[in-house]
Amino acid sequence: NAGVTQTPKFRVLKTGQSMTLLCAQDMNHEYMYWYRQDPGMGLRLIHYSVGEGTTAKGEVPDGYNVSRLKKQNFLLGLESAAPSQTSVYFCASSYSTGNQPQHFGDGTRLSIL
Amino acid sequence: RKEVEQDPGPFNVPEGATVAFNCTYSNSASQSFFWYRQDCRKEPKLLMSVYSSGNEDGRFTAQLNRASQYISLLIRDSKLSDSATYLCVEGEGNTPLVFGKGTRLSVIA
């Protein structure tokens, strides 16, 4: 059972570079989410999607873009990476939003130099 | 803005002890509640859902007090492997779940 899979697991970027983080789920979940987690800050929601072709802003969307072209995939893009975006990024998915638990991938550790 | 407040800890307890965490939530319309466990440098994992009538899963008991808007987690007979951060989570309708920042537990031999 793969569940939620994130790629890559680790990445180091230089300021100004761009990259895309991929999240894939095989549970046929409608809803998918991207979070960042910094030391002492807890999880902060970046963007989420309530279904294929839809996206919505979370708590900290600036500097990120997302796309949900296929139900099983949710992509997070950094157009011009900044050191402030150094963080651990978690993807999650769920059957619905407020009533069902979310299932998390094992994270992407991103460092921006 | 919806918020879930937790004591960050750390709670340092000896093996075999009973420990309890509370968290408070601000949204009186919240309908669903969960406890997650997060190990250091790992992803959060669902520990248990919290039902209105309370629920128990082995050494873990979760309670919901809607009148006072708080949720509790009781861990009995603590094990070294229980050392982790415990996240309190609330949800309502069609909005994403709201996660607390977590309470850190350290069980000491």
Side-chain angles (χ1 to χ4, degrees):
Chain A
N1 270 347
V4 179
T5 303
Q6 293 183 232
T7 53
K9 297 288 187 282
F10 304 92
R11 186 73 183 267
V12 178
L13 290 178
K14 293 181 179 178
T15 298
Q17 287 185 317
S18 63
M19 78 161 297
T20 300
L21 280 63
L22 172 63
C23 177
Q25 53 94 5
D26 62 1
M27 296 175 283
N28 201 33
H29 285 168
E30 286 292 336
Y31 301 81
M32 296 187 74
Y33 313 83
W34 276 107
Y35 294 89
R36 62 177 289 174
Q37 188 173 38
D38 302 298
M41 294 294 292
L43 291 166
R44 291 188 290 172
L45 182 63
I46 304 171
H47 286 280
Y48 64 102
S49 168
V50 301
E52 182 178 318
T54 75
T55 63
K57 293 181 180 180
E59 181 186 356
V60 289
D62 293 341
Y64 305 95
N65 56 76
V66 288
S67 64
R68 184 100 181 268
L69 298 179
K70 294 183 178 180
K71 184 177 182 179
Q72 64 267 33
N73 295 337
F74 195 28
L75 278 63
L76 177 71
L78 284 72
E79 292 179 344
S80 180
S84 61
Q85 294 178 304
T86 293
S87 189
V88 179
Y89 291 85
F90 288 107
C91 175
S93 69
S94 65
Y95 283 113
S96 66
T97 50
N99 297 324
Q100 296 292 324
Q102 294 175 12
H103 301 266
F104 285 80
D106 56 6
T108 295
R109 299 187 180 282
L110 185 61
S111 293
I112 317 295
L113 304 179
Chain B
R1 183 172 176 275
K2 302 175 192 175
E3 286 187 343
V4 174
E5 298 288 340
Q6 296 185 250
D7 182 340
F11 285 60
N12 299 311
V13 301
E15 273 187 290
T18 295
V19 61
F21 309 134
N22 288 335
C23 84
T24 59
Y25 60 94
S26 62
N27 183 11
S28 60
S30 293
Q31 300 163 346
S32 303
F33 304 90
F34 309 96
W35 282 102
Y36 277 72
R37 170 197 170 122
Q38 186 173 23
D39 293 293
C40 187
R41 301 176 70 84
K42 299 285 189 180
E43 75 275 22
K45 292 183 178 179
L46 179 66
L47 179 65
M48 59 197 306
S49 301
V50 185
Y51 304 119
S52 296
S53 56
N55 51 304
E56 187 174 312
D57 183 3
R59 297 182 293 108
F60 299 83
T61 300
Q63 296 281 350
L64 168 63
N65 184 317
R66 286 192 181 275
S68 300
Q69 294 187 200
Y70 77 81
I71 309 155
S72 64
L73 177 68
L74 181 76
I75 305 175
R76 292 180 297 276
D77 189 22
S78 298
K79 312 292 185 189
L80 294 176
S81 57
D82 294 333
S83 297
T85 297
Y86 291 84
L87 309 179
C88 177
V89 185
E90 61 97 1
E92 180 239 341
N94 293 321
T95 57
L97 298 178
V98 177
F99 287 78
K101 292 182 180 181
T103 297
R104 192 151 58 96
L105 170 66
S106 181
V107 181
I108 305 163

